[in-house]
Amino acid sequence: MSQAGVAASAELSEKQTRILNHLREAAGERTYFKSRLVAEELDMTAKEVGANMRALLAADHGLEIEKWGYSSGTTWKVTPAE
């Protein structure tokens, strides 16, 4: 991770860091994540995940995250940054 990525990670909240770590661990196995499923795995609400994902969209953390779909909850597309 770049120095900017380390700095950005240091500025994330505890919830944002937990979500980011979860995404990093799972990103090699899958690409799409539903907020409600991430919430279940991290003992949060889907609303908490969605609100905190917005901060991750702008951070430099080695992943590209984009809001992808809305059917039965928000889906996020997560891929390694190029």
Side-chain angles (χ1 to χ4, degrees), residues 2-75:
S2 68
Q3 287 294 347
V6 172
S9 293
E11 296 172 7
L12 298 176
S13 73
E14 183 267 337
K15 287 182 183 179
Q16 292 163 353
T17 301
R18 286 176 52 210
I19 293 167
L20 181 59
N21 289 337
H22 174 75
L23 296 174
R24 280 187 181 138
E25 290 173 14
E29 300 168 13
R30 60 185 197 220
T31 303
Y32 299 94
F33 297 84
K34 286 201 167 287
S35 288
R36 67 179 167 79
L37 298 177
V38 172
E40 287 175 13
E41 292 182 37
L42 299 178
D43 195 30
M44 294 182 194
T45 67
K47 190 172 186 174
E48 286 176 305
V49 171
N52 285 289
M53 287 292 280
R54 290 179 197 0
L56 297 179
L57 290 171
D60 176 15
H61 43 60
L63 295 175
E64 290 187 24
I65 301 171
E66 71 180 278
K67 202 171 197 174
W68 191 255
Y70 301 97
S71 72
S72 68
T74 303
T75 300

